[in-house]
Amino acid sequence: MKKKKGSNILPLLMLTVGFVLSSSLIHSQNNYTISGTVTDEFNGETLFGTSIFLKGTSIGAITNEYGFYSISAPEGSYTLIFSHLGYKEISMDITLNSNQKIDIEVQESSTQLDEVEVIAEETERAILKKPEMSVSKLNIKTVKQMPVVLGEVDVIKSLQILPGVTNNGEGTSGFHVRGGAVDQNLVLLDEAIIYNTSHLLGFFSVFNADAVKDLKLYKGGIPARFGGRVSSVLDVRQKDGNSKNFAMTGGVGVISSRLALEGPMFKDRGSFLVAGRGSYAHLLLKLAGEENSVSFYDLNLKTNYSINDNNKLYLSGYFGRDVFNFDGSFSSSYGNASGNLRWNHIFNDRLFSNLSLIYSNYDYELGIEDFEFDWISSIRNYNAKYDFKYYLSDAFKLDFGISAIKYEFNPGEIKPTGPNSAINELILDQKLALESGVYIGAEHKLTDNLTAQYGLRYSRFNRLGGQPISEYANDQPILYNPTLRFYQRTDPIGETFFKKSESIETFDNFEPRLALAYQLNDYSSIKMGYSRAAQYIHLLSNTSAVTPLDVWTPSGKYIKPQLSDQYALGYFRNFSDEMYSLEVETYYKTVDNRIDYVDGSDLIGNNTIETEILNGESRAYGLEFLFRKNEGAFTGWVAYTLSKSEQRTPGGIAGGPGINNGSWYNTPFDRTHDVSITAAYKLNDKWSFGANAIFQTGRPVTYPNGQYEYEGISVASYSDRNADRLPAYHRLDLSATYRPNRRPDKKWKGEWVIGIYNVYNRKNAAAISFGQNLETGANEATRTAIFGMVPSVTYNFKF
């Protein structure tokens, strides 16, 4: 919805919050509250997802991202249970006749190095009761157990073997969720936006597993506190740092190594974490006589300070970069930088708050020596957000908050670097925008069996001035030429300059969220959900994979915000006392204002990108299965997704047939079938094994279907967009972990991880190109494969 005037929604929502708080306090005035924080006994890390409940009742809670919990119950005597899978359960008898603060330290059920005891992070019984659905949460220990390419533990690749999540192709770190595009995923590291998740052009992700505490992927049913993307949210949290003892972890791999240091500081009132990772592929290439050079590095920093029992400060940062140099004639680098200052404040035993000031930057540099010029582009944002969690009663919990993000877009600068350069300096129009939001959400236990999670987010986007905007006849930047039968850009008829204090365009949207969970019995439940989301920034790319050249642009006069509506229905069941679990979900998702690019579009160095695009819509629907074995020496899961992802792009006001004559066509990330089998087996205290087996329908592509000659030149003609497919993708990965030292009193603990990626050497096609054999004149197709069989050896250690 487009809006020019200010909105009174914020005061209205605040009044609503005040009314709910007052009425709920009156309703629960005879109850007493137990609150506190749950931490790991060994390292002092706060634990997210711990179940706390009063035995024999339906009263309970789950710790939040900072380990805080709060439950309320009538006066009486109870048995209080703390349960977190992978940790020993704690039981204590309490007499509740006043508000109590109980901080608990829990002990791991196993002290072995990175041993996988369970797959799920939360108890299966708690998952059944929660209205939260379409959510995947992985324990970082599970991630470390999976076989990966070149032995490098990868958070993104671990998600790609879950239902509803697919990859961009062989060896890439980008991911697609339920038929959505890469730019439709909101990726957060300690609340800071990460715009490019890849290293080495997609072979590895930017997340160092030694610095990660937990990760959670919202595929649907996104809580109201998140906004800005229409497909998914990946929320990755860094470790806080060991507050009990100095510790060191790390590993030495085939092409990279890593080291993490952590320990207490500020006289045991805080802790720190410093984690670094770097590659030495450039050194290996140099030893092999290659003049090309590729390398990357990561640096994760975090510290915290406890002012008192009710106030705690966190400061975290991430810095990562890739550097390429090809024979001295071509060089490039790209990277992310982020920082976050957070203040946790506990107002009382029911109200928890978090204030965050966040900075994110992604930039890309390209240099071509032969033509003597450099190219630079970037996106930068400053984010302030204030979130509250109010535990009003056992039956009602409230979230509310406000946020604002200022964007600075630099779509490109071209600068000559030498006296003989034929390139003129060019600076594309810098773009500014402000995105703000306010939300309120609730988790409401309606009956013993029925729980609801509902909320409303109001978002507002101001495309700010400070640049000229091209004007076109009839507001048509692109038109269809019926004579030549293709779309062509139109010439501007003038420009309008907007000051920085002016708004070029303003949009606002209401985004309702709803989820219901009905527990059929102690071991099964059904859930359903609906969510609407708005996305105001777009990734300009005509490739299906993440590349550093991708450029972000804001919504404005000619590019409208994307709006999604998703519906989901699921059935969840536990078997054999939670040893096995089954999750089945079906979904249907639509996205309005999804742009696509006309044939022959020019996206790089283009100051009028609106002349290259058409406005359309997309839809995705599917069925997901996940069967897990959660306990025992043998654990793992089988995931299967049957899905369809399509787009339709008519000509609209530009005229003409649009793309594929205005009919539905496959998106580049459509996968009809996606099957993953993941297994981990502990043979004994020294040996454990892991395996992944993956099958996917081939990625949609566009092949030539004929050719003709024009002035002696052979020219190919093409089929409809994405009407063909690459061959099916499949592979088998195996790993073995050997732990030679099992003495519990030994401080140094090490392990060897031996892996084989793509055991049977499948040459999966990353692309198929067509050309003419210069000797025979015959047409031929060439398959490009990135990986065959890749063995690896990694040594991991902990001190």
Side-chain angles (χ1 to χ4, degrees):
M1 179 172 66
K2 182 178 174 182
K3 192 170 181 178
K4 291 295 182 182
K5 296 182 179 180
S7 174
N8 294 321
I9 186 66
L10 178 57
L12 178 60
L13 283 178
M14 293 300 101
L15 286 173
T16 303
V17 170
F19 174 77
V20 173
L21 293 181
S22 301
S23 61
S24 298
L25 286 172
I26 294 172
H27 175 73
S28 59
Q29 60 186 354
N30 295 324
N31 287 349
Y32 295 105
T33 300
I34 309 166
S35 64
T37 303
V38 180
T39 57
D40 185 298
E41 181 185 63
F42 174 73
N43 56 32
E45 290 277 354
T46 57
L47 295 179
F48 176 28
T50 302
S51 295
I52 302 100
F53 59 94
L54 299 177
K55 188 176 180 179
T57 74
S58 60
I59 299 173
I62 302 292
T63 55
N64 69 5
E65 291 86 349
Y66 301 95
F68 180 80
Y69 74 93
S70 176
I71 58 177
S72 299
E75 182 177 355
S77 297
Y78 299 95
T79 299
L80 183 62
I81 305 293
F82 295 84
S83 177
H84 193 116
L85 283 176
Y87 290 82
K88 294 180 180 178
E89 186 175 278
I90 291 180
S91 173
M92 63 173 61
D93 294 327
I94 62 169
T95 299
L96 192 59
N97 52 20
S98 64
N99 295 334
Q100 299 183 28
K101 188 176 192 302
I102 302 177
D103 295 328
I104 285 291
E105 293 183 339
V106 293
Q107 182 182 359
E108 282 193 14
S109 57
S110 173
T111 58
Q112 297 171 2
L113 177 67
D114 296 330
E115 179 178 307
V116 176
E117 291 294 325
V118 292
I119 298 297
E121 180 76 15
E122 300 173 12
T123 64
E124 295 300 321
R125 191 168 299 172
I127 292 174
L128 287 180
K129 294 180 179 180
K130 294 182 67 174
E132 187 177 76
M133 66 179 301
S134 304
V135 175
S136 299
K137 186 176 182 184
L138 282 178
N139 189 317
I140 195 63
K141 296 179 182 179
T142 306
V143 174
K144 289 186 175 183
Q145 195 76 4
M146 299 177 183
V148 291
V149 63
L150 296 173
E152 187 68 31
V153 174
D154 198 312
V155 167
I156 299 294
K157 288 183 176 60
S158 69
L159 296 172
Q160 293 171 357
I161 56 178
L162 295 173
V165 186
T166 60
N167 62 0
N168 291 309
E170 184 76 72
T172 62
S173 283
F175 62 101
H176 302 281
V177 177
R178 290 184 168 176
V182 172
D183 70 313
Q184 295 174 337
N185 303 318
L186 177 62
V187 181
L188 303 173
L189 178 62
D190 272 356
E191 300 184 299
I193 300 174
I194 301 297
Y195 290 97
N196 190 329
T197 62
S198 69
H199 278 311
L200 296 185
L201 297 176
F203 291 128
F204 307 114
S205 78
V206 299
F207 301 111
N208 182 350
D210 287 342
V212 172
K213 178 163 64 174
D214 57 61
L215 59 143
K216 201 169 188 179
L217 176 67
Y218 297 87
K219 300 181 292 184
I222 299 173
R225 69 179 182 274
F226 294 114
R229 301 295 187 275
V230 296
S231 188
S232 75
V233 175
L234 175 59
D235 189 12
V236 182
R237 300 277 174 162
Q238 291 188 124
K239 292 179 179 177
D240 298 330
N242 194 319
S243 62
K244 298 297 186 69
N245 302 285
F246 176 80
M248 178 175 64
T249 58
V252 181
V254 176
I255 66 168
S256 67
S257 293
R258 63 192 192 278
L259 180 66
L261 306 175
E262 53 186 321
M265 62 187 306
F266 305 122
K267 297 181 180 180
D268 295 334
R269 296 186 69 87
S271 61
F272 76 92
L273 168 73
V274 178
R277 181 176 58 158
S279 70
Y280 30 78
H282 58 296
L283 299 178
L284 299 177
L285 289 172
K286 188 175 181 179
L287 290 174
E290 287 281 346
E291 296 189 17
N292 300 329
S293 174
V294 295
S295 63
F296 75 87
Y297 71 85
D298 291 310
L299 181 61
N300 297 77
L301 305 170
K302 192 168 185 178
T303 186
N304 62 83
Y305 176 71
S306 180
I307 301 172
N308 52 43
D309 289 344
N310 294 328
N311 294 277
K312 194 169 186 178
L313 295 176
Y314 295 85
L315 178 64
S316 61
Y318 169 80
F319 308 91
R321 197 147 199 93
D322 287 67
V323 179
F324 299 82
N325 192 300
F326 297 99
D327 198 23
S329 60
F330 170 85
S331 63
S332 71
S333 69
Y334 66 92
N336 298 278
S338 68
N340 186 0
L341 176 62
R342 282 178 284 179
W343 170 43
N344 281 180
H345 177 62
I346 302 174
F347 288 91
N348 52 49
D349 51 16
R350 296 187 182 186
L351 181 58
F352 178 92
S353 73
N354 182 73
L355 173 65
S356 298
L357 302 176
I358 309 165
Y359 167 82
S360 293
N361 180 78
Y362 170 72
D363 66 272
Y364 173 73
E365 300 177 7
L366 170 68
I368 300 181
E369 297 298 326
D370 291 345
F371 296 95
E372 297 183 345
F373 78 88
D374 286 341
W375 164 280
I376 302 172
S377 64
S378 66
I379 178 173
R380 180 182 296 115
N381 72 258
Y382 306 88
N383 185 1
K385 58 196 294 286
Y386 204 7
D387 301 298
F388 296 84
K389 178 84 172 183
Y390 207 113
Y391 301 81
L392 292 106
S393 67
D394 172 61
F396 199 91
K397 301 174 181 66
L398 194 66
D399 295 278
F400 54 96
I402 190 169
S403 65
I405 306 175
K406 182 183 179 183
Y407 293 100
E408 297 177 356
F409 301 86
N410 177 8
E413 300 178 22
I414 300 177
K415 297 181 179 180
T417 58
N420 299 320
S421 175
I423 304 297
N424 295 322
E425 182 173 1
L426 172 65
I427 300 178
L428 301 181
D429 292 337
Q430 312 295 291
K431 302 171 184 178
L432 303 173
L434 178 65
E435 180 179 348
S436 54
V438 60
Y439 72 90
I440 181 171
E443 184 173 324
H444 193 177
K445 187 188 295 182
L446 300 171
T447 69
D448 286 342
N449 294 334
L450 180 62
T451 305
Q453 187 180 71
Y454 50 87
L456 178 65
R457 182 180 185 86
Y458 169 76
S459 60
R460 184 176 178 85
F461 188 83
N462 291 79
R463 172 72 180 276
L464 302 176
Q467 66 168 108
I469 298 296
S470 296
E471 303 289 345
Y472 303 90
N474 301 317
D475 280 340
Q476 292 179 303
I478 185 171
L479 284 173
Y480 183 72
N481 189 321
T483 303
L484 300 177
R485 299 176 65 184
F486 67 78
Y487 287 92
Q488 60 186 39
R489 63 176 63 93
T490 62
D491 295 324
I493 59 174
E495 288 184 342
T496 301
F497 185 83
F498 290 84
K499 299 178 181 179
K500 288 186 177 181
S501 59
E502 296 179 306
S503 290
I504 298 173
E505 202 82 2
T506 303
F507 305 93
D508 58 357
N509 285 280
F510 289 99
E511 304 173 38
R513 318 283 170 87
L514 172 66
L516 297 170
Y518 183 78
Q519 191 167 356
L520 301 172
N521 45 50
D522 288 342
Y523 49 83
S524 64
S525 67
I526 56 174
K527 301 181 183 182
M528 60 187 67
Y530 164 77
S531 64
R532 162 162 275 225
Q535 178 170 336
Y536 299 100
I537 66 174
H538 314 261
L539 188 63
L540 300 179
S541 174
N542 50 13
T543 66
S544 60
V546 178
T547 71
L549 277 172
D550 296 342
V551 177
W552 292 85
T553 192
S555 297
K557 183 173 183 178
Y558 303 107
I559 301 178
K560 306 306 178 186
Q562 299 178 65
L563 298 173
S564 74
D565 292 282
Q566 182 172 176
Y567 309 84
L569 177 66
Y571 174 73
F572 302 80
R573 182 183 175 91
N574 296 329
F575 304 90
S576 303
D577 196 24
E578 301 183 13
M579 178 174 288
Y580 303 93
S581 63
L582 173 68
E583 300 176 17
V584 182
E585 290 192 38
T586 183
Y587 65 89
Y588 181 81
K589 178 172 62 177
T590 62
V591 179
D592 296 331
N593 301 325
R594 180 63 185 167
I595 57 178
D596 207 348
Y597 312 97
V598 297
D599 293 335
S601 59
D602 180 16
L603 304 180
I604 305 300
N606 191 335
N607 219 13
T608 55
I609 197 65
E610 63 270 9
T611 62
E612 311 292 331
I613 59 176
L614 292 176
N615 196 48
E617 60 180 331
S618 66
R619 66 184 181 189
Y621 46 92
L623 185 63
E624 300 171 355
F625 296 87
L626 179 62
F627 180 77
R628 299 186 300 195
K629 184 175 186 295
N630 299 311
E631 301 174 5
F634 179 82
T635 59
W637 67 78
V638 178
Y640 172 66
T641 305
L642 174 67
S643 63
K644 189 68 177 175
S645 176
E646 301 174 299
Q647 184 158 341
R648 180 168 61 186
T649 312
I653 64 172
I659 298 174
N660 282 15
N661 293 314
S663 301
W664 290 99
Y665 55 95
N666 296 324
T667 64
F669 21 89
D670 175 61
R671 303 284 194 276
T672 306
H673 303 283
D674 187 353
V675 184
S676 301
I677 302 174
T678 299
Y681 176 68
K682 179 188 173 186
L683 179 64
N684 51 44
D685 287 344
K686 289 189 174 183
W687 285 98
S688 59
F689 303 90
N692 291 332
I694 297 171
F695 174 88
Q696 292 179 351
T697 302
R699 176 167 54 87
V701 291
T702 305
Y703 288 155
N705 60 359
Q707 66 179 30
Y708 60 91
E709 285 197 5
Y710 178 75
E711 295 184 354
I713 300 175
S714 180
V715 180
S717 61
Y718 289 85
S719 61
D720 289 339
R721 183 171 298 188
N722 295 335
D724 304 290
R725 290 185 182 272
L726 293 175
Y729 177 97
H730 54 87
R731 72 171 200 270
L732 172 66
D733 310 327
L734 298 175
S735 70
T737 302
Y738 174 66
R739 302 179 180 92
N741 177 28
R742 306 312 302 168
R743 289 175 54 187
D745 59 334
K746 194 84 170 180
K747 290 187 176 181
W748 183 277
K749 295 181 175 64
E751 65 181 18
W752 290 93
V753 181
I754 304 168
I756 303 178
Y757 179 91
N758 196 358
V759 170
Y760 51 86
N761 199 32
R762 163 76 175 178
K763 300 295 185 181
N764 287 298
I768 293 181
S769 58
F770 294 84
Q772 192 173 48
N773 189 302
L774 297 179
E775 296 181 358
T776 65
N779 294 327
E780 59 184 16
T782 303
R783 173 188 296 203
T784 301
I786 298 177
F787 292 123
M789 183 178 68
V790 182
S792 64
V793 178
T794 303
Y795 178 73
N796 297 320
F797 57 87
K798 176 184 288 188
F799 175 77

